[in-house]
Each structure stands twice: as C-alpha cells, then as structure tokens.
Amino acid sequence: MSYKLAIATIKGGVGKTTIVHNLAGAFAEWGRKVLVVDLDQQGNLSSAFLKNIYNVPTTLYHILIDPDRPTSTAIQPTDFPNIDILPANLDLSRIEFQLAGDPEAQYYLADKLREVNHYDLILLDPPPHPGLMTLSALVAADGVIIPVECQEWAARGTTYVLEMIRRVRRRANPQLRLLGYVINKYDGRRKLEQTYKEVLLERYGADVFQTIIRNSVKYPESASMRRPLTSYHPTSVQADAFRQLAREISQRAFHRRQRAARSGRD
Ligand SMILES: Nc1ncnc2c1ncn2[C@@H]1O[C@H](COP(=O)(O)OP(=O)(O)OP(=O)(O)O)[C@@H](O)[C@H]1O
Ligand SMILES: [Mg+2]
C-alpha cells in the first residue's frame, strides 16, 4: 500500500513544491517507486518535471471531475527512473467552482489515489490556500509535513493548517499524522533568523526535523533545469540535505506504521 505524504501550509512560497520535487529525487534514488501529485493550478511541480504542461491532455482536473475516468490515464512517466507524475495546470482552477456544493468533493482525491496503490510513496503538493485542493490532500494523506521559514510570520500559515488538520482528523481522516516541521530557506547569518529558529524549536520541539534545508540558489536552478538536485547536482550538500530529510521521514512514517501494524496484530 502506498504511503501518502502531503507537504502543506497556508502560506505561499515557503518551499512546498521544492520539497516535493527534491524528496521525489531522494526516495527514487533508493529505489522507491514515487508518484508526485500536483494539486496546484499554478502547475509549478508539473513544470519542474515536464516540458510543456499546457500540452498535457489529461490532468488531475480530468480525473477528479469524472468518477469513471481511471487515475492511470492522467499519470505520466518523468525522465527519472521510479518517478511518475499526476500533473495539473490552469484547468484545475475550474474545479472549486464545478464541485461547489458537492458534500463528497473532499473525498474524490482519496478515492482516486486508492486506484494506484502500487507506488511506495505518493507525494502531494497542494496550493498555499485553504480551499478544496488543500483539504483533499489532507483527507487523502497518511502524513503531513509543514514547511516553515524562520521569519516573523512563519507561525501564521502554520496555525491555519494545524486547524485544518485538526478538523480533518475529527471525521474525514482520523488516521492523518503530523510528521513534523521542516525549516526551509535557512540562511543563519542573520541574528533575527536564529532567534526565530529558537522560537520554532521551543514551540514545536522534537517535531521539527533535524535536517534544515538551507537557502541556496541550487534549488531554483534545479527546478528550472527540471531535475531534482539528486540528479542535477548529486554530490552537493543540498542534495545530501534531501537524502537526510528522506531518511528522517522514513523513520517517522514507515517505522511508526510498522509499529501500528504490529500493535494491531497483538
Ligand atoms: N531552500 C531554498 N533556497 C533557495 N530558494 C528556495 C529554497 N526553497 C525554495 N526556494 C525558491 O523559493 C520559491 C518558492 O518555492 P516553492 O515554489 O517551492 O514554494 P511553494 O510553497 O510551493 O510556493 P506556492 O505557495 O506558490 O506553491 C521558488 O522560486 C523556489 O525555487
Ligand atoms: Mg507550490
């Protein structure tokens, strides 16, 4: 069965897409079969893997809007072994309107992903606002990671997404686990940034992943070259950071899952 991991927060530009792109590279390098799902009409994740996202005939939109259309019809291979993509583009902007008033809408993604259970890992990249796509990602996911920057308003988007997680766990997806917070774009030269880092560590403690993703031009560069860093610059410290983060995620997600399965058998 696939492990579904959403990288979510209600704040733009903190690195959700960058994290999905590069985690896919790190997990695929270990031989894990990965599906990345673009839930954002901006299509940034799709552009990080595919050349022209507007020529894609079938996208996430088409399978969500049509219950009879198999999920596999929208999945494409990428240039990288073990990574497939379920892309999105501006078509997705219509979905909120078209499914408005449908009380089941938040479950459609989860239903559709059940059809493609042969992946080891499904990475979900929602948009930065609390609409249907973020909600669908949280309803479908087993785990969620919240990216944070060490800045003044870091806690804002976090508070909002935590509230959404709480709501989703009450009924729609009680299994959803918060795997932790990832500090992204850390520079560390500014005193204020260090102070915010300490505040985050105080507030969230061991929930903060030990791996810190530092600010580096290599991340935007690798996205524009349409290659995860593990492929674009495999020997870089930035690629290593993602291998390390992937290891930490594995420990938190898969080991916890095995424990749960064991205790279920006892
Ligand atoms: N560690 C980093 N160092 C430098 N630049 C980064 C880093 N992480 C992300 N970026 C850059 O910051 C910008 C925003 O990142 P990204 O698109 O991943 O964020 P996002 O949370 O997905 O944004 P959105 O909310 O619009 O979906 C991009 O240009 C990306 O290349
Ligand atoms: Mg994004």
Side-chain angles (χ1 to χ4, degrees):
M1 211 166 75
S2 316
Y3 187 89
K4 295 173 225 68
L5 178 62
I7 313 297
T9 190
I10 309 304
K11 187 168 184 293
V14 283
K16 297 177 288 298
T17 302
T18 302
I19 291 170
V20 168
H21 189 219
N22 289 295
L23 275 182
F27 277 106
E29 197 179 60
W30 292 347
R32 296 266 165 87
K33 273 203 76 58
V34 182
L35 174 69
V36 296
V37 183
D38 194 345
L39 292 148
D40 190 344
Q41 67 194 48
Q42 297 179 99
N44 291 345
L45 181 67
S46 305
S47 303
F49 278 110
L50 305 172
K51 251 195 188 124
N52 188 345
I53 63 167
Y54 292 97
N55 283 343
V56 177
T58 312
T59 63
L60 179 68
Y61 166 78
H62 300 94
I63 60 153
L64 289 180
I65 213 73
D66 180 357
D68 296 328
R69 197 189 279 250
T71 307
S72 57
T73 59
I75 293 179
Q76 298 198 24
T78 66
D79 289 343
F80 306 96
N82 297 329
I83 307 179
D84 288 348
I85 184 165
L86 210 175
N89 58 27
L90 259 182
D91 282 343
L92 197 60
S93 59
R94 287 184 281 164
I95 200 136
E96 204 107 7
F97 177 72
Q98 284 182 257
L99 294 180
D102 181 341
E104 301 284 301
Q106 60 176 325
Y107 296 103
Y108 293 163
L109 176 71
D111 293 347
K112 285 297 186 180
L113 293 181
R114 248 174 248 126
E115 289 174 28
V116 288
N117 245 329
H118 54 283
Y119 292 98
D120 297 307
L121 180 65
I122 300 183
L123 292 169
L124 307 171
D125 180 21
H129 46 80
L132 178 61
M133 287 299 107
T134 299
L135 185 59
S136 300
L138 296 178
V139 171
D142 299 293
V144 54
I145 287 178
I146 303 179
V148 283
E149 280 178 68
C150 291
Q151 287 179 356
E152 195 172 359
W153 303 115
R156 281 229 172 144
T158 303
T159 312
Y160 208 112
V161 77
L162 283 174
E163 182 45 42
M164 280 186 89
I165 291 169
R166 238 171 264 133
R167 222 171 346 119
V168 164
R169 282 171 68 172
R170 272 205 289 273
R171 197 171 312 157
N173 182 12
Q175 313 299 327
L176 179 64
R177 293 280 165 270
L178 172 62
L179 286 195
Y181 301 83
V182 179
I183 295 178
N184 185 29
K185 294 193 187 178
Y186 189 70
D187 189 309
R189 277 177 298 189
R190 289 185 304 135
K191 180 85 189 94
L192 201 60
E193 218 190 1
Q194 290 172 22
T195 310
Y196 283 121
K197 182 176 152 203
E198 280 153 27
V199 171
L200 282 173
L201 290 173
E202 233 165 68
R203 183 178 299 192
Y204 302 125
D207 281 348
V208 180
F209 284 96
Q210 281 175 10
T211 309
I212 290 177
I213 307 298
R214 300 187 75 94
N215 198 68
S216 164
V217 71
K218 287 213 172 70
Y219 294 114
E221 240 174 60
S222 72
S224 66
M225 300 307 286
R226 288 193 297 276
R227 293 168 71 177
L229 260 165
T230 42
S231 155
Y232 176 61
H233 214 314
T235 56
S236 62
V237 291
Q238 290 82 2
D240 265 348
F242 272 93
R243 291 186 185 106
Q244 200 185 318
L245 181 61
R247 261 195 301 275
E248 272 196 84
I249 291 170
S250 267
Q251 273 158 13
R252 291 190 188 195
F254 300 117
H255 295 183
R256 202 176 285 180
R257 207 187 216 196
Q258 281 166 3
R259 267 207 314 275
R262 270 201 300 275
S263 66
R265 281 202 302 271
D266 294 340

